[in-house]
Amino acid sequence: VRYTVHPSRLVQGCVTGRDCIPAIDDPEFVPADEATDLDPDARVVGLDVDGEARAYPLSILRGHEIVNDDIAGRPVAVTYCPLCRSGLVFSRRVDGQRLDFGVSGKLLDANLVMYDRQTGTYWSQLRARAIVGDLVPETLEQVPSTLTTWGDWRQGHPDSLVLDGSGLGRGRDPYLS
């Protein structure tokens, strides 16, 4: 196994391991005007790719941590680590291959470790690189995004779509205590 971080440094965050926190693979969205249950002060990860705007509420990301999405024809992974409160967006294209990400159940330096379902490679969210597996030493291309309030995002992006949480459950913050 190739690695840049020895596998023994990975801490088991979820007892059940891979996919203990389910990523969202087929996200559904509603227009901003229909997101009536979203408070203006609610935090969102905002993403604008080629004029296509989407908001991903942290109230949903807390319980899922990863959204595999396609925006403006570009495959992206919207990621959020509730432990360190880092929200980052990455291209899901690595070395010409389209990847789908899941939650590994492991942590590195108190941060989300993802895995790709195509090769099983582990990826550090904050380092944006492969750390254990076949795709080491590849890196993830970060896609510009913002962590802001829904009110501010909506003001700047009135035609934004919003990740629909109905049917998903709004995960409670597992690290609140």
Side-chain angles (χ1 to χ4, degrees):
V1 174
R2 297 179 354 186
Y3 56 86
T4 57
V5 171
H6 194 276
S8 66
R9 287 201 45 219
L10 303 179
V11 175
Q12 193 67 39
C14 294
V15 177
T16 57
R18 281 189 180 174
D19 299 316
C20 57
I21 299 169
I24 299 172
D25 294 317
D26 295 307
E28 294 184 13
F29 296 87
V30 297
D33 292 342
E34 293 179 25
T36 56
D37 64 334
L38 202 52
D39 186 272
D41 291 328
R43 306 290 288 175
V44 300
V45 172
L47 182 60
D48 185 335
V49 177
D50 296 333
E52 197 172 319
R54 295 192 183 160
Y56 303 81
L58 295 193
S59 60
I60 298 171
L61 289 174
R62 261 194 305 272
H64 296 277
E65 298 189 10
I66 299 172
V67 178
N68 291 297
D69 197 6
D70 288 276
I71 181 170
R74 185 171 185 187
V76 296
V78 179
T79 67
Y80 180 71
C81 177
L83 185 57
C84 62
R85 296 190 171 113
S86 56
L88 299 169
V89 179
F90 303 103
S91 170
R92 291 192 291 135
R93 288 220 180 271
V94 176
D95 197 27
Q97 184 175 7
R98 180 186 170 114
L99 302 176
D100 298 308
F101 289 94
V103 176
S104 72
K106 298 186 182 296
L107 299 168
L108 175 64
D109 299 327
N111 177 245
L112 168 66
V113 173
M114 309 173 290
Y115 79 97
D116 73 73
R117 295 182 180 133
Q118 285 66 32
T119 71
T121 298
Y122 286 163
W123 300 82
S124 166
Q125 183 212 32
L126 284 179
R127 295 178 185 196
R129 69 177 185 177
I131 55 173
V132 177
D134 292 343
L135 295 182
V136 170
E138 295 290 341
T139 58
L140 295 171
E141 175 192 347
Q142 191 169 345
V143 176
S145 63
T146 188
L147 186 57
T148 187
T149 65
W150 168 236
D152 286 346
W153 180 257
R154 185 172 181 192
Q155 183 176 1
H157 301 85
D159 295 327
S160 182
L161 295 177
V162 183
L163 181 62
D164 183 12
S166 61
L168 293 175
R170 300 207 186 254
R172 70 169 189 80
D173 187 340
Y175 303 105
L176 193 59
S177 63

